[in-house]
Amino acid sequence: MRYTPAQHDAFARDFNRDSLVILRNHIPRDKLQRWREAFQPLLDAGIEAERGKPNRGAERYYVTLPFVPPFADPEIYEDRDILSIIERVAGPEPVLCQLATDTPLKGSDYQIWHSDTPPLFPELDDNDTPSFQLAVNFPLCDVTDDNGPFETTFGTHRMNKTEVMAGLNDGSLPVHSLKMALGDVMIRDVRAIHRGTPNRTETPRPMVVLGYSRRWLHRPEVHIRVPREAWNMLSPIGKQLLRNNPIVDEANLREERESYRTFAY
């Protein structure tokens, strides 16, 4: 591990306060360059499939990644620093349930302010529960002011959305635009109010998302189709993380797509 248990504790405290932490320069850049090269044909296919009805707003595409190399990389999804922080904020034995990307192109716009999941108990007036769904994000390029940085708010993962929107409207709640370098990793609570921003460049800006949830949470709209041969080769940690996902024959790997189209709450 790169960090000590005491540092993991500090990251968890910062996460619980702000809704996110960023591990700088955490994944080797050359590894992510290989991801970027392998991703481009998938993006091209996703754009073609969604032409005229992009699934995350104008010129912004959600593309699921297959659980095959280079994307099925235990050095990333089993990373002990990342898992140590996740376990501190979302409990033991988390489930890995999502492997996908969000990519704005030139012509994209600001998304509405939203969270990625409804409250766990919507009948209550507040959202003040411990974390139950996390996103681990890392870009496949440097993220600058020009190519669609993630905009978010701090601490709103445990706030009532009506109060958050009032603070955004009157300017009392600060907005943070997060630039990231290739190799940086962000761990965030998906309840925090955030939005995507326009990519004003000619180059796509892919952001990978690994979704981790508490061991008892199931979101049927997302899953990872694990090839049977790959399942048989997983480490014990990998099998624990992926235990709730469908195991499929290689020939059927790409037959079904996620139904994750409702993304803003």
Side-chain angles (χ1 to χ4, degrees):
M1 288 189 283
R2 178 181 175 188
Y3 297 101
T4 67
Q7 289 172 307
H8 295 149
D9 290 341
F11 279 128
R13 287 193 297 271
D14 291 346
F15 179 100
N16 285 324
R17 180 192 66 214
D18 295 336
S19 81
L20 64 86
V21 291
I22 297 179
L23 310 183
R24 299 292 184 184
N25 193 30
H26 196 70
I27 302 174
R29 292 173 66 94
D30 59 346
K31 180 188 290 284
L32 296 182
Q33 293 285 6
R34 293 192 291 273
W35 277 53
R36 177 62 184 257
E37 292 169 5
F39 170 68
Q40 188 60 51
L42 301 178
L43 177 61
D44 293 341
I47 293 171
E48 183 63 28
E50 299 287 340
R51 190 175 300 280
K53 51 179 176 58
N55 53 34
R56 290 297 185 272
E59 295 302 321
R60 185 182 299 272
Y61 296 89
Y62 176 85
V63 177
T64 302
L65 298 178
F67 195 75
V68 298
F71 311 120
D73 187 345
E75 291 185 359
I76 293 180
Y77 67 77
E78 293 183 20
D79 182 282
R80 289 307 306 162
D81 289 302
I82 293 173
L83 290 180
S84 292
I85 296 168
I86 290 172
E87 289 164 358
R88 280 164 168 76
V89 299
E93 301 178 9
V95 174
L96 174 61
C97 59
Q98 184 183 22
L99 175 60
T101 54
D102 177 81
T103 307
L105 311 181
K106 188 171 185 179
S108 52
D109 204 343
Y110 288 96
Q111 293 181 312
I112 61 169
W113 288 106
H114 66 279
S115 69
D116 294 335
T117 186
L120 190 59
F121 300 105
E123 65 272 22
L124 301 180
D125 289 335
D126 60 42
N127 194 28
D128 192 14
T129 68
S131 298
F132 55 89
Q133 181 78 57
L134 308 181
V136 172
N137 291 119
F138 52 89
L140 300 184
C141 63
D142 292 334
V143 179
T144 69
D145 287 328
D146 297 323
N147 66 353
F150 181 78
E151 283 193 345
T152 192
T153 53
F154 287 173
T156 61
H157 60 307
R158 302 183 75 159
M159 292 175 60
N160 177 281
K161 186 180 178 182
T162 300
E163 297 174 4
V164 176
M165 295 307 298
L168 287 169
N169 290 332
D170 66 20
S172 62
L173 184 65
V175 173
H176 301 270
S177 181
L178 303 182
K179 294 184 284 292
M180 297 176 69
L182 183 67
D184 291 349
V185 175
M186 175 168 55
I187 307 171
R188 65 182 178 90
D189 188 310
V190 301
R191 293 175 297 171
I193 302 302
H194 64 278
R195 66 180 178 180
T197 68
N199 181 353
R200 307 186 191 283
T201 74
E202 301 291 338
T203 305
R205 192 278 292 142
M207 181 70 76
V208 176
V209 54
L210 299 180
Y212 294 83
S213 64
R214 284 188 179 261
R215 60 185 177 182
W216 44 261
L217 180 67
H218 174 60
R219 293 189 68 180
E221 68 271 29
V222 294
H223 60 264
I224 300 170
R225 293 169 64 79
V226 182
R228 194 173 309 279
E229 184 175 349
W231 172 263
N232 292 334
M233 298 176 63
L234 290 177
S235 72
I237 294 175
K239 287 184 176 179
Q240 177 176 288
L241 288 169
L242 290 155
R243 63 191 182 274
N244 289 350
N245 291 285
I247 302 170
V248 300
D249 294 327
E250 186 73 31
N252 301 326
L253 182 59
R254 300 174 189 269
E255 283 187 358
E256 181 185 342
R257 302 180 66 190
E258 286 182 316
S259 59
Y260 184 33
R261 299 192 68 87
T262 300
F263 67 96
Y265 296 90

